[in-house]
């Protein structure tokens, strides 16, 4: 049965739910082997690094799971200056990383033009791709930033169950989130979506729905990361996602989506010491080292015990070669053939 599913070209919802239920050792290794094969076929053995700058932790949203939620008044807020952002971009570039990810909470203090200026400066000074992860903004702003040179946009749908979406995001609608992803796609961005695995009340059908929504949106990047509780949020007492479960979800996601970039996320590395290595063998082909400088880095606390590495490049070089893979020298643009 499991072999039949793994050999199908197109798996359906019930196949995915079946795979998500697999717990027997031999069957699990078949899933991981298949995911590794698919990863190798579509992504090769190169691992792409994306250097993240978390430049503001102000957020207008109040997501129940996230430590940056606006109701979290115990979090000290910061906003990096343009100069600090550019200096950090230079550090990333000098580490020979070819993608810079600008990430923040939904911070409307920064205007569309402020962000566009930062994008332009980075693009003019460094030969890198830019990924934005700034939450939901206006169509006109997305358009301006694309014109300024942004290549990609990460906007996770978080859950494809519309009822749960409205619970986690206080009445907001999944439909609107998806509309934003479609706007971004129509503007020529490479788009990234994905979910959080292990949120309260989520079931296997929901996770199958998350994978299928990414397929339906034909995403270029898919980030499936484990829930980790965050203090000072309504979900502070919830259990974190089980590490073996998130690895299984990642492997199945790779098998279904095939030609997408998929990170071994910081959340996975925070949950489990060898998270990055395990993620790379469960279908991932991307690692996103954090370059946010002190004293800001520790304040971008979306969840507890977020991994913070010193000398990250030395570590990653050793880690990646220990898996028999190598760091890509390319920008790692979309794997889709247009
Ligand atoms: N404002 C941006 C970036 C948010 S932070 C946006 O809305 O897209 C990046 C990601 O952190 C979110 O997409 C969410 O999936 C993840 N995240 C937030 N809280 C989390 C938690 N408690 N556990 C795991 N991931 C979390």
């Amino acid at each position: 049965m499991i072999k039949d599913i793994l050999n199908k070209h197109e798996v359906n919802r019930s196949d995915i739910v079946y795979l998500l239920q697999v717990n027997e050792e031999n069957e699990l290794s078949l899933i991981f082997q298949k995911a590794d094969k698919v990863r190798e076929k579509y992504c090769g053995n190169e691992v792409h690094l994306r250097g993240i700058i978390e430049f503001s932790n102000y957020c207008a949203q109040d997501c129940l799971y996230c430590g940056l939620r606006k109701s979290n008044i115990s979090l000290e807020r910061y906003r990096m200056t343009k100069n600090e952002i550019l200096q950090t971009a230079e550090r990333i570039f000098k580490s020979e990383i070819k993608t810079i990810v600008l990430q923040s909470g939904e911070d409307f203090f920064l205007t569309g033009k402020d962000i566009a200026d930062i994008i332009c400066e980075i693009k003019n000074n460094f030969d890198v791709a830019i990924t934005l992860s700034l939450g939901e903004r206006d169509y006109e702003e997305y358009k301006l930033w694309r014109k300024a040179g942004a290549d990609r946009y990460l906007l996770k749908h978080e859950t494809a169950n519309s009822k749960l979406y409205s619970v986690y995001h206080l009445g907001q609608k999944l439909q609107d989130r998806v509309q934003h992803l479609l706007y971004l796609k129509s503007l020529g961005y490479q788009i990234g979506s994905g979910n959080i695995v292990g949120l309260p009340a989520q079931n296997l059908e929901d996770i199958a729905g998350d994978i299928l929504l990414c397929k339906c949106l034909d995403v270029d990047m898919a980030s499936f990361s484990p829930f980790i509780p965050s203090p000072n949020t309504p979900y502070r007492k919830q259990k974190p996602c089980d590490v073996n479960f998130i690895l299984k979800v990642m492997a199945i996601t790779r098998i279904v989506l095939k030609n997408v970039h998929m990170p071994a996320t910081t959340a996975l590395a925070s949950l489990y010491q060898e998270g990055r290595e395990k993620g790379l063998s469960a279908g991932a082909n991307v690692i996103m080292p954090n370059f946010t400088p002190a004293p800001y880095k520790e304040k971008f606390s979306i969840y507890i015990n977020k991994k913070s590495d010193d000398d990250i490049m030395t570590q990653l070089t050793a880690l990646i070669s220990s898996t028999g893979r190598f760091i890509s020298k390319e920008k790692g643009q979309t794997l889709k053939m247009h």
Side-chain angles (χ1 to χ4, degrees):
M1 172 73 176
I2 180 161
K3 285 196 176 151
D4 294 339
I5 296 180
L6 292 176
N7 286 328
K8 277 185 173 179
H9 191 66
E10 293 286 326
V11 296
N12 59 32
R13 185 178 291 261
S14 61
D15 294 332
I16 298 176
V17 172
Y18 181 91
L19 293 176
L20 286 168
Q21 276 168 334
V22 165
N23 265 323
E24 201 269 319
E25 201 75 28
N26 289 331
E27 292 191 332
L28 277 173
S29 17
L30 290 176
I31 293 179
F32 286 112
Q33 278 165 25
K34 176 74 181 187
D36 203 45
K37 253 196 182 151
V38 175
R39 186 271 308 156
E40 190 171 9
K41 176 171 176 194
Y42 290 94
C43 312
N45 283 322
E46 57 184 341
V47 175
H48 296 287
L49 300 184
R50 322 292 201 193
I52 307 193
I53 312 175
E54 298 155 336
F55 64 88
S56 163
N57 70 352
Y58 282 89
C59 194
Q61 297 286 357
D62 223 2
C63 311
L64 297 192
Y65 47 78
C66 184
L68 302 191
R69 68 198 307 265
K70 70 171 177 212
S71 300
N72 182 6
I73 51 167
S74 32
L75 181 68
E76 203 183 308
R77 305 285 168 166
Y78 72 87
R79 186 178 291 119
M80 287 168 65
T81 64
K82 185 173 169 187
N83 259 344
E84 288 173 323
I85 297 172
L86 292 173
Q87 279 163 14
T88 311
E90 183 169 14
R91 270 176 51 228
I92 297 176
F93 179 69
K94 287 195 167 151
S95 304
E96 295 181 26
I97 292 180
K98 307 285 191 244
T99 294
I100 293 179
V101 182
L102 295 173
Q103 187 167 69
S104 67
E106 287 191 11
D107 182 0
F108 293 95
F109 178 84
L110 294 162
T111 65
K113 183 168 178 313
D114 294 337
I115 307 272
D117 287 345
I118 293 167
I119 296 168
C120 272
E121 285 261 3
I122 294 179
K123 278 289 193 174
N124 287 339
N125 286 293
F126 314 113
D127 179 26
V128 291
I130 292 186
T131 302
L132 301 177
S133 175
L134 318 178
E136 293 177 26
R137 301 282 296 233
D138 291 344
Y139 179 85
E140 288 304 320
E141 294 179 306
Y142 297 145
K143 195 169 162 185
L144 187 68
W145 301 336
R146 177 83 187 111
K147 240 172 125 187
D151 301 273
R152 314 180 189 136
Y153 207 106
L154 292 179
L155 188 70
K156 290 169 69 174
H157 65 264
E158 317 291 4
T159 176
N161 174 327
S162 57
K163 288 205 182 94
L164 288 181
Y165 187 94
S166 296
V167 173
Y168 303 147
H169 306 106
L170 298 178
Q172 292 184 41
K173 293 202 171 70
L174 173 67
Q175 211 181 315
D176 295 335
R177 190 72 162 183
V178 170
Q179 186 57 55
H180 279 260
L181 282 157
L182 295 174
Y183 285 153
L184 291 160
K185 206 177 174 62
S186 75
L187 289 166
Y189 283 95
Q190 297 164 49
I191 58 164
S193 194
N195 74 348
I196 303 178
V197 178
L199 284 167
Q202 187 189 47
N203 63 30
L204 299 184
E205 288 277 341
D206 296 329
I207 294 171
D210 290 325
I211 300 175
L212 289 170
L213 178 57
C214 284
K215 187 173 156 73
C216 175
L217 288 166
D218 194 26
V219 298
D220 304 284
M221 306 168 283
S223 172
F224 281 61
S225 59
F227 167 70
I228 304 177
S230 180
N232 307 309
T233 64
Y235 288 166
R236 64 189 173 277
K237 293 196 177 132
Q238 299 291 329
K239 273 208 310 273
C241 177
D242 175 76
V243 64
N244 292 314
F245 185 62
I246 177 66
L247 290 168
K248 178 166 66 177
V249 170
M250 288 170 65
I252 296 167
T253 303
R254 168 61 72 195
I255 293 168
V256 179
L257 300 182
K258 301 185 177 74
N259 54 348
V260 294
H261 290 296
M262 192 168 97
T265 60
T266 305
L268 177 59
S270 306
L271 191 66
Y272 181 65
Q273 180 67 27
E274 286 160 37
R276 289 197 174 109
E277 293 87 325
K278 296 276 184 201
L280 287 181
S281 48
N285 71 319
V286 169
I287 291 180
M288 303 174 74
N290 188 354
F291 280 76
T292 311
Y296 307 124
K297 194 174 181 173
E298 68 187 48
K299 299 194 176 98
F300 202 83
S301 49
I302 31 187
Y303 44 75
I304 199 164
N305 293 333
K306 185 156 156 255
K307 195 167 173 69
S308 161
D309 315 86
D310 297 323
D311 202 9
I312 181 90
M313 290 309 288
T314 316
Q315 269 191 52
L316 288 184
T317 308
L319 184 157
I320 290 166
S321 57
S322 80
T323 62
R325 314 256 283 272
F326 61 93
I327 297 177
S328 173
K329 296 200 179 318
E330 312 294 324
K331 292 198 179 100
Q333 302 285 18
T334 181
L335 296 164
K336 312 268 166 178
M337 304 295 172
H338 290 290

